[in-house]
Amino acid sequence: MSANEHRSEPLRLVIFGRQGAGKGTQCDRIVKQYGVVHLSTGDMFRAAIAAGSEIGSQVAPILAAGGLVSDDLTIALVRERLAHSDVQESGFVLDGFPRTTSQADALLGLLSESGASLDAVVNLEVALEEVTARMKSRGRNDDTDEGIAKRLALYDRETVPVIDWFDERGLVLRVDGIGAEHEVSDRLFAAIDGGVTH
Ligand code: ADP
């Protein structure tokens, strides 16, 4: 049984997790379980670049430099995507957005404009030492000790305040991300089903 079966409204989620926490895998599992649309702002920007669109040419140098795209542009893109009928009908799991508290505020504003609300913010928790070990064992080119430490520090500086912002609003479900993929997804589904009340 899943949360969507007794709901008149589709499920609307945000997921957070450090690099190496298994967020991609768990997003796929959430999509299968609840029938929601996976919305990744990183994927949207990469698709815009691949399509050679106006937005794509604006964001390409920013992504290449590992910077953040402006809040205005990012929010405009998410606003447009949230209005699509698939997302309206099926709900979503947002991944990579919001990354700033202004984006978080804008998200709640966008949803309330259409009488909707966010059901939960899932924080997939894996200790720093564990994600560092996992990333090192992947052996990717950009997974040097220094590169790993830099990206993880950026996450703490940038994203943790956004999680705290949602926490102050009582929206955060903490899920232990250690264990086999199915163990983690069972925990995730239990948290979502138990934590989503309407
Ligand atoms: P990563 O987790 O490695 O940063 P993503 O796929 O989430 O990968 O994002 C890739 C890039 O897209 C980011 O480095 C950033 O430049 C841009 N980006 C994605 N989401 C956002 C966002 N919410 N706000 C600003 N920039 C973003």
Side-chain angles (χ1 to χ4, degrees):
M1 189 171 73
S2 72
N4 256 1
E5 285 172 23
H6 299 289
R7 299 164 54 85
S8 49
E9 286 277 306
L11 195 62
R12 301 181 185 92
L13 298 175
V14 171
I15 189 164
F16 286 109
R18 285 192 176 101
Q19 292 89 343
K23 189 164 52 110
T25 306
Q26 296 304 328
C27 279
D28 292 346
R29 287 175 173 252
I30 289 172
V31 165
K32 285 207 188 84
Q33 178 79 357
Y34 299 104
V36 294
V37 180
H38 179 211
L39 297 180
S40 151
T41 41
D43 286 352
M44 290 181 212
F45 289 134
R46 284 184 288 271
I49 294 169
S53 70
E54 165 101 39
I55 288 181
S57 56
Q58 279 182 49
V59 303
I62 303 170
L63 265 79
L68 279 186
V69 176
S70 74
D71 284 340
D72 283 355
L73 205 157
T74 307
I75 292 162
L77 194 75
V78 170
R79 171 196 285 275
E80 194 209 350
R81 195 64 188 86
L82 289 180
H84 281 210
S85 57
D86 60 339
V87 176
Q88 291 283 320
E89 281 159 25
S90 307
F92 58 78
V93 54
L94 262 172
D95 169 9
F97 181 93
R99 250 191 179 76
T100 63
T101 51
S102 311
Q103 292 179 7
D105 201 37
L107 173 65
L108 297 192
L110 283 176
L111 292 173
S112 71
E113 273 172 27
S114 56
S117 58
L118 197 62
D119 294 302
V121 173
V122 175
N123 188 19
L124 197 57
E125 295 186 319
V126 179
L128 205 56
E129 309 76 64
E130 172 72 17
V131 288
T132 306
R134 285 186 190 180
M135 287 166 85
K136 281 183 183 163
S137 70
R138 290 194 308 207
R140 266 175 22 186
N141 280 346
D142 55 343
D143 285 347
T144 58
D145 286 3
E146 197 193 340
I148 291 170
K150 205 170 151 187
R151 273 144 65 210
L152 291 173
L154 186 71
Y155 183 86
D156 279 348
R157 200 167 66 231
E158 224 171 51
T159 309
V160 170
V162 185
I163 301 173
D164 291 344
W165 187 92
F166 280 118
D167 212 11
E168 285 160 18
R169 286 154 184 82
L171 283 165
V172 178
L173 302 173
R174 294 176 190 284
V175 176
D176 180 1
I178 303 279
E181 287 175 9
H182 72 275
E183 287 168 352
V184 176
S185 56
D186 283 351
R187 259 180 239 142
L188 245 166
F189 301 157
I192 292 170
D193 294 341
V196 171
T197 48
H198 71 264

